[in-house]
Amino acid sequence: MSTDTTGTAARDEGPRPGDPADSPFVRACRRKPGPHTPVWFMRQAGRSLPEYRKIRANVAMLESCRRPELITEITLQPVRRHGVDAAILFSDIVVPVAAAGVALDIVPGTGPVVTDPVTTAADVERIRPITRDDVHYVDEAVRMLVGELGATPLIGFAGAPFTLASYLVEGGPSRNHTKTKALMYSDPDLWHALAGRLAEVALAFLKVQIDAGASAVQLFDSWAGALSEADYRRYVLPHSQAVLAGLADAGVPRIHFGVGTGELLTAMGEAGADVVGVDWRTPLDIATRRVGPQRAVQGNLDPCLLFAPWPVLEAEVRRVLAQGRAAPGHIFNLGHGVLPETDPDVLTRLVALVHELTARGNGRS
Ligand code: 1CP
């Protein structure tokens, strides 16, 4: 131990108890043992909670993402209700894209809809780099949240270049990402310009959240599973790598997640995250072999299991935890987001179950 009295000794010794950087969630991201396996849920904020529906009743989605008090309240709702080990900022992957000058809306029941889809180099040029001022409401919300959350870590997030590009090129949600892939194959230079620009926007958005106090970040490449591994490596990996490498010195764990990415897990691991999120299709022990021992895994209960009888759900939770023990760190989560029809009480019970089954001395420690 250093005898330095300038304060560097405390920093050298790492986080203190009560610091979110010492929470079970951040410890698991860093492959360190903790008091229990941490659990949070993608899309835990909003959607299934009646208190969310009430507070959002007269506020449009994009507008609600620009009001710091509302962002703060919605982010805290699932933490209060379920006792999850991490909060995720209430926002959307298209919020920084809108701040970069792209005309879009988030349409109820549909998702992001872009007014003038990207087809030309001039369209790409119009996507401006963003600064903190462009998303000051996120900066303010994160600062408020960090004060309110105390020892509970806040996860910041952004959409990865491919998933963002899909909304911009298709003009909205897409099943096959046809126009996006057509652009990739027919005009690789334009594709790389677009993905490069979106990587800059995502990186800037994540930095704002980290500077304001977020304890971890997740880069969502939700739709990357639509790609072959070869295409992922050629068209997408360098851009996601640029985002994650840009945060290498930021001092917070980086999580990278996509859906249907079983065949991409090795490549996604190479994107440079500390944790790779896994959907329900790939058992966590197999996922661990694919991403390698230097990364933790996050996942991977099928969100539809929340509609199953409790004994069926419990058996599947035990299976996920058992398979997660093969990983050097495991954060329990769903394989994708909470579905809107989910009974919130099942989520609360699930958090308690994961904590009980993994409490130190009772399983993994
Ligand atoms: O826990 C949370 O809900 C945190 C906030 C959050 C996050 C992390 C929202 C609020 N959106 C997201 C990320 C997001 N948005 C992703 C990546 C994560 C994932 O795959 O789940 C994606 C693909 C989107 C795009 C989006 N926004 C969709 C999907 C459309 C499609 O292509 O199928 C939808 C429906 C939205 C709207 C949206 N974003 C968030 C909420 C709560 C909603 C619903 C809007 C509402 O309540 O009116």
Side-chain angles (χ1 to χ4, degrees):
M1 192 199 290
S2 163
T3 52
D4 186 349
T5 53
T6 60
T8 49
R11 279 206 297 280
D12 289 344
E13 285 160 21
R16 290 153 181 254
D19 182 338
D22 195 42
S23 60
F25 167 76
V26 173
R27 292 184 68 86
C29 291
R30 299 220 180 276
R31 310 189 306 282
K32 290 183 185 161
H36 57 256
T37 298
V39 47
W40 70 281
F41 304 115
M42 290 184 279
R43 300 194 187 168
Q44 67 188 18
R47 296 181 172 92
S48 72
L49 298 187
E51 57 269 37
Y52 166 75
R53 298 210 182 104
K54 196 168 162 219
I55 202 170
R56 276 278 330 278
N58 295 309
V59 193
M61 178 62 193
L62 207 46
E63 170 62 19
S64 68
C65 294
R66 292 174 176 150
R67 293 195 194 170
E69 286 81 11
L70 206 52
I71 298 172
T72 303
E73 170 56 24
I74 297 173
T75 302
L76 292 173
Q77 285 175 348
V79 180
R80 286 190 205 114
R81 193 191 251 264
H82 306 308
V84 281
D85 290 278
I88 180 155
L89 182 77
F90 178 77
S91 187
D92 193 82
I93 56 168
V94 296
V95 165
V97 179
V102 176
L104 59 85
D105 197 7
I106 301 178
V107 177
T110 300
V113 174
V114 175
T115 314
D116 299 306
V118 169
T119 54
T120 65
D123 296 337
V124 172
E125 279 307 309
R126 276 195 289 275
I127 306 171
R128 296 187 279 104
I130 61 163
T131 66
R132 180 166 45 174
D133 288 348
D134 293 312
V135 288
H136 60 89
Y137 36 83
V138 168
D139 172 68
E140 286 160 36
V142 171
R143 286 174 199 278
M144 277 197 256
L145 277 163
V146 169
E148 295 276 336
L149 283 163
T152 303
L154 175 69
I155 304 169
F157 73 91
F162 176 75
T163 293
L164 288 178
S166 172
Y167 288 105
L168 294 192
V169 175
E170 307 288 338
S174 163
R175 192 181 163 84
N176 296 318
H177 311 278
T178 315
K179 292 177 185 158
T180 315
K181 290 186 183 182
L183 173 72
M184 233 176 220
Y185 299 133
S186 59
D187 194 342
D189 290 345
L190 180 58
W191 165 260
H192 285 296
L194 172 61
R197 187 60 67 97
L198 293 172
E200 286 168 24
V201 170
L203 177 58
F205 191 53
L206 292 171
K207 279 185 172 165
V208 168
Q209 297 171 70
I210 295 169
D211 288 347
S215 293
V217 289
Q218 178 154 328
L219 186 64
F220 282 98
D221 210 351
S222 302
W223 313 137
L227 297 165
S228 69
E229 184 179 355
D231 285 348
Y232 175 82
R233 286 184 180 278
R234 182 182 308 169
Y235 297 109
V236 175
L237 180 58
H239 302 289
S240 296
Q241 259 167 349
V243 180
L244 294 165
L247 302 173
D249 299 325
V252 303
R254 298 154 294 172
I255 309 169
H256 194 27
F257 167 78
V259 183
T261 53
E263 295 300 320
L264 302 182
L265 286 172
T266 302
M268 283 186 83
E270 290 169 26
D274 305 284
V275 183
V276 175
V278 183
D279 84 0
W280 62 91
R281 295 171 178 92
T282 311
L284 291 181
D285 49 345
I286 294 174
T288 292
R289 286 208 290 279
R290 294 183 182 171
V291 303
Q294 70 284 24
R295 297 178 213 288
V297 295
Q298 176 173 279
N300 73 343
L301 191 80
D302 187 336
C304 294
L305 274 161
L306 300 172
F307 300 86
W310 182 258
V312 176
L313 172 56
E314 177 169 340
E316 287 294 295
V317 170
R318 287 176 184 271
R319 176 186 60 77
V320 168
L321 289 170
Q323 289 168 340
R325 283 193 190 101
H330 176 210
I331 299 112
F332 191 96
N333 205 314
L334 304 178
H336 196 189
V338 174
L339 296 163
E341 320 80 59
T342 305
D343 176 354
D345 291 343
V346 176
L347 292 172
T348 308
R349 216 174 149 191
L350 175 52
V351 172
L353 176 68
V354 171
H355 287 170
E356 183 194 312
L357 292 175
T358 62
R360 193 196 289 279
N362 195 9
R364 185 198 193 107
S365 61

